Amino acid sequence: MEADYVIVGAGSAGCAVAFRLAEAGKSVLVIEHGGTDAGPFIQMPGALSYPMNMARYDWGYKTEPEPHLGGRRLACPRGKVIGGSSSINGMVYVRGHAMDFDHWDESGAHGWSFADVLPYFKRMENWDDAGHGGDPAWRGTNGPMHVRRGPRDNPLFSAFVAAGQQAGYQVTDDYNGHRQEGFGPMEQTVHNGTRWSAANAYLRPALKRRNCDLMRGLVERVLIEEGRAVGVVLQGGQIVRARAEVILAASSINSPKILMLSGIGPAAHLAEHGVDVVVDRPGVGANLQDHLEMYIQMASKQPITLYKHWNLISKAMIGAQWLFTRTGLGASNQFESAAFIRSKAGVAYPDIQYHFLPIAVRYDGQAAAEGHGFQAHTGPMRSPSRGAVTLRSANPADDPVIRFNYMSTEQDWEDFRTCIRLTREIFAQDAFAPFVKHEIQPGADYQSDEELNDVIREHAESAYHPCGTCRMGARDDAMSVVDPEGRVIGVDALRVVDSSVFPRITNGNLNGPSIMTGEKMSDHILGRDPLARSNDEPWIHPAWVTMQR
């Protein structure tokens, strides 16, 4: 088995790279440990709570006990299926803020400023809502990745935006366009009522070409000969050779694990597990980041929430309508209104995100015991806490050790308390007066800093946005793992192209930036000149220094 390019992982970035390399005429072999994404649990947007809780589709990772969250072990789902995590995620589409990418460039990932990456977002997008508001000039309309908005029929979606406006915040018609800051419609990777994963957008079209193949297998390590990656070793000892390059796109959890098992990582840590050191790169597995969030839940005065469908008969009817027509409630992820705001004056761009949902429910599908309700998912976007992915042993079958080190700084606690208090203020606006009955979570009794800290410690959950463990930066930076073209420093013909390379986490959900990274990395792999930089200037609040809203 051999190909010009061997791609490890058929997730968001890996599928995009496979598509672009195959399109350019290169022979490509994609290796994925997971199986098929066929069936309604993945393809029906309304069923999103199922696949990330199914061992068939999810690696089932958990963190080590988190010391600042009462020793809780948090779920860290990663897609074990073609499409990777884009096949089990919430289908929310967020590019990130322009200043996120400018920070990447300034921190050593030269060529990844917003002006550099915006053309790749446009290239990947097929924005389905042209003519229905938004910023058409800022969006792409011919790419593989379909993006749309939900119907927003439930009155609670408009109430959320109206409440934000009443509280004095901006309204934005397109947070992925000129202005991220504000309240407005949320976008989803759904097309014709179906989850539009990276598998549907990129991998299936790529596999129609004779020069692109997919094989199932667990990659244990990269095969390195005389300082060059020449292939990979699969479980069972099979070797797959790469004539040109090996490309890791196995997630921010598994890409560093594979590098370390291949002898690339912190030398002392590798030696501790009996792994021969090929290249001492202390940054491998470090810089682990995530978004932590809480669900601020309100009981509803009116029976208009999705709770009325939280029974077997209604679920069966929604499922049947979706199966036969690809329409109805099953055709949306139900995240249809959103907001990005700043926590205080002096913060240049949004550092708080909101997903609004017209039901009080957890990601594992457990509805609030109180019945009809709704919720806002909220949390800080740029936590200073950093964790690490490390080896549990030299056995590739063992899960890695995942420590996010959540809430390890005082700033984390201050920012999270601010999120809760600002959310309560939004729900207290007149727009919600017809709907809010009382607060379910945290509950009105929790008001002081200490009381809110207890709530956060008990109820904060991962938003499932891990990244940063193979940081992209300058080659002379000891903590960089890859250079700005994704090349692993110290080894030839080996790249990492997924969310592992993010120097710092971006605003919002990471699927969009992960696919964009694959798109841009594919041009670097092919030796092409990058797309021409954009001259578009994003909106920044003109009085951000002195005003919070």
Side-chain angles (χ1 to χ4, degrees), residues 84 231 235 242 302 376 495 528:
Q235 192 174 47
Q302 300 187 39
R495 298 193 204 230
R528 293 174 171 169

Side-chain angles (χ1 to χ4, degrees), residues 357-370:
L357 193 61
I359 186 173
V361 68
R362 295 192 329 216
Y363 258 128
D364 62 6
Q366 295 298 308
E370 303 211 15

